[in-house]
């Protein structure tokens, strides 16, 4: 079946598939989102994007931003980065403090909050004006010039970031964070607040399906080795404490966020973004996962 028909079929099959989860409610800007919003966009290597539903509506990308900051940092720091962040699934909640004590301030992976905070610390070393650098990077990847931070989300995140402050302070006590904790949390809360549509997200992840090059511009973002590593980390650690089940059901490297978005890629083929704000108990969009499972099944292709 053609890609367009597969997307339309899954969209219509799942259009009423709501009411099984909770919208993130730790800040007002997320809890007020329309819970039955639903969008799918798939971008192919020739730059075509096929979408269904609310695909132009922007939402809070939250933890999906961790892929962008990791890509920015790893292309500069190379292997050295992996002395301060691990590459194993954590088996704990995304914002857990528990392993950090035993593992001496080295976070298990860059997609749990502790790891992402270390990445943001290195980003500040590399780019003194980090907030500009991140948004410029996302605009470059997507080709969309008006993507920006949602200031009200960023502010609410800041007001409720006690646990992230605790994580950053704890890591700093082990010497694995160098910058001021407040500066790191400020950048981190802003990166989580970036507002994008599924169409824009699918385009911005296409470099991970095309060996590190943005197919529409030919610009190289990173080398094939970095792409291999970013995709491997998404596959093993990208869906919080549900990464194994996501690999089992969907078979694509992916990254989710508590705004209800999930982005996934099939190397050398496509990237796909889904958005449906109701979350399961792991903090992942349950309709998003169902969509992606049906997608690889219908398509008959996954990374396996
Ligand atoms: N912004 C929230 C936090 O860091 C959630 C991010 C997410 O997991 O999507 O606590």
């Amino acid at each position: 079946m053609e890609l367009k028909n597969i997307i339309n079929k899954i969209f219509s099959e799942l259009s009423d598939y709501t009411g099984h989860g909770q919208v993130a409610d730790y800040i007002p800007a997320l809890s007020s989102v329309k819970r039955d919003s639903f969008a799918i966009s798939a971008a192919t290597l020739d730059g075509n994007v096929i979408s269904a539903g609310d695909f132009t509506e922007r939402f809070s990308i939250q933890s999906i931003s961790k892929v962008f900051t990791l890509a920015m940092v790893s292309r500069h720091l190379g292997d050295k980065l992996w002395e301060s962040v691990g590459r194993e699934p954590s088996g704990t909640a995304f914002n857990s403090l528990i392993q950090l004590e035993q593992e001496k301030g080295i976070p298990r992976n860059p997609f749990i909050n502790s790891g992402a905070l270390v990445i943001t610390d290195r980003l500040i070393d590399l780019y003194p004006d980090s907030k500009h650098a991140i948004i410029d990077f996302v605009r470059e990847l997507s080709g969309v010039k008006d993507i920006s931070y949602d200031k009200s989300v960023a502010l609410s995140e800041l007001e409720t970031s006690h646990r992230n402050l605790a994580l950053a302070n704890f890591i700093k006590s082990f010497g694995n964070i160098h910058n001021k904790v407040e500066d790191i949390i400020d950048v981190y809360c802003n990166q989580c607040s970036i507002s994008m549509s599924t169409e824009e997200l699918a385009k911005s992840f296409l470099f991970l399906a095309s060996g590190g090059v943005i197919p529409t511009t030919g610009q190289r973002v990173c080398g094939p080795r970095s792409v291999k590593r970013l995709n491997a980390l998404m596959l093993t650690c990208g869906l919080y404490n549900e990464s194994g089940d996501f690999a089992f059901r969907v078979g694509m490297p992916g990254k989710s966020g508590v705004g209800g978005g999930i982005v996934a890629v099939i190397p050398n083929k496509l990237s796909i973004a889904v958005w449906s704000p109701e979350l399961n108990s792991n903090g992942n969009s349950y309709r998003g996962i169902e969509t992606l499972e049906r997608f690889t099944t219908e398509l008959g292709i996954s990374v396996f």
Side-chain angles (χ1 to χ4, degrees):
M1 208 191 297
E2 238 187 286
L3 195 56
K4 191 174 183 324
N5 297 339
I6 293 176
I7 287 175
N8 287 337
K9 176 174 186 274
I10 298 171
F11 184 82
S12 79
E13 282 172 0
L14 294 177
S15 60
D16 295 327
Y17 193 67
T18 56
H20 306 289
Q22 300 293 324
V23 173
D25 59 1
Y26 68 97
I27 56 171
L30 289 185
S31 63
S32 61
V33 84
K34 246 179 79 223
R35 58 191 309 130
D36 59 351
S37 307
F38 186 28
I40 313 175
S41 297
T44 48
L45 296 189
D46 55 11
N48 261 337
V49 186
I50 295 156
S51 299
D54 307 314
F55 60 91
T56 56
E57 202 172 314
R58 288 179 171 163
F59 59 96
S60 196
I61 68 165
Q62 292 290 327
S63 270
I64 295 171
S65 66
K66 290 170 179 163
V67 179
F68 296 137
T69 49
L70 177 61
M72 290 175 79
V73 168
S74 60
R75 67 180 175 170
H76 288 287
L77 297 189
D79 286 347
K80 211 172 152 35
L81 177 64
W82 304 108
E83 291 165 16
S84 14
V85 188
R87 293 99 64 170
E88 292 294 344
S90 73
T92 58
F94 71 101
N95 57 2
S96 171
L97 280 129
I98 217 145
Q99 282 162 348
L100 275 179
E101 170 117 59
Q102 277 178 335
E103 297 179 5
K104 302 196 168 33
I106 311 283
R108 273 285 173 98
N109 70 66
F111 294 150
I112 47 175
N113 282 17
S114 53
L117 291 167
V118 171
I119 300 299
T120 300
D121 178 68
R122 304 306 188 269
L123 191 84
I124 295 173
D125 291 338
L126 290 163
Y127 302 92
D129 193 351
S130 313
K131 286 192 248 176
H132 261 119
I134 296 170
I135 216 71
D136 280 351
F137 183 64
V138 175
R139 288 174 180 169
E140 196 176 290
L141 290 180
S142 60
V144 182
K145 298 294 164 226
D146 69 342
I147 289 172
S148 59
Y149 298 109
D150 181 326
K151 287 291 160 203
S152 77
V153 172
L155 213 64
S156 298
E157 294 277 348
L158 271 169
E159 282 164 4
T160 54
S161 59
H162 315 293
R163 190 174 270 262
N164 286 326
L165 275 163
L167 283 167
N169 273 304
F170 200 46
I171 300 168
K172 190 160 180 153
S173 77
F174 289 100
N176 196 15
I177 266 181
H178 316 119
N179 291 286
K180 268 176 63 188
V181 161
E182 289 71 20
D183 293 345
I184 295 165
I185 299 298
D186 179 44
V187 174
Y188 175 77
C189 288
N190 272 278
Q191 74 181 59
C192 286
S193 84
I194 295 173
S195 223
M196 290 171 79
S197 65
T198 54
E199 194 173 41
E200 293 161 348
L201 274 171
K203 285 192 213 164
S204 69
F205 269 62
L206 209 45
F207 79 101
L208 290 172
S210 61
V213 172
I214 305 171
T216 45
T217 61
Q219 197 186 328
R220 178 161 290 286
V221 179
C222 55
R225 188 163 175 252
S226 292
V227 171
K228 174 182 71 179
R229 292 174 159 196
L230 288 164
N231 283 337
L233 284 163
M234 288 203 293
L235 186 77
T236 51
C237 314
L239 275 278
Y240 308 117
N241 213 2
E242 197 177 357
S243 303
D245 198 54
F246 186 79
F248 177 79
R249 289 178 59 189
V250 175
M252 288 192 270
K255 184 73 201 85
S256 59
V258 294
I262 308 176
V263 195
V265 301
I266 303 179
N268 305 317
K269 285 245 163 317
L270 53 82
S271 58
I272 177 164
V274 288
W275 175 49
S276 176
E278 288 182 336
L279 308 178
N280 65 20
S281 56
N282 287 304
N284 292 316
S285 167
Y286 69 83
R287 180 159 57 172
I289 294 180
E290 185 65 32
T291 301
L292 293 173
E293 179 173 15
R294 290 186 191 208
F295 180 72
T296 46
T297 305
E298 292 281 350
L299 198 63
I301 302 172
S302 72
V303 298
F304 303 109

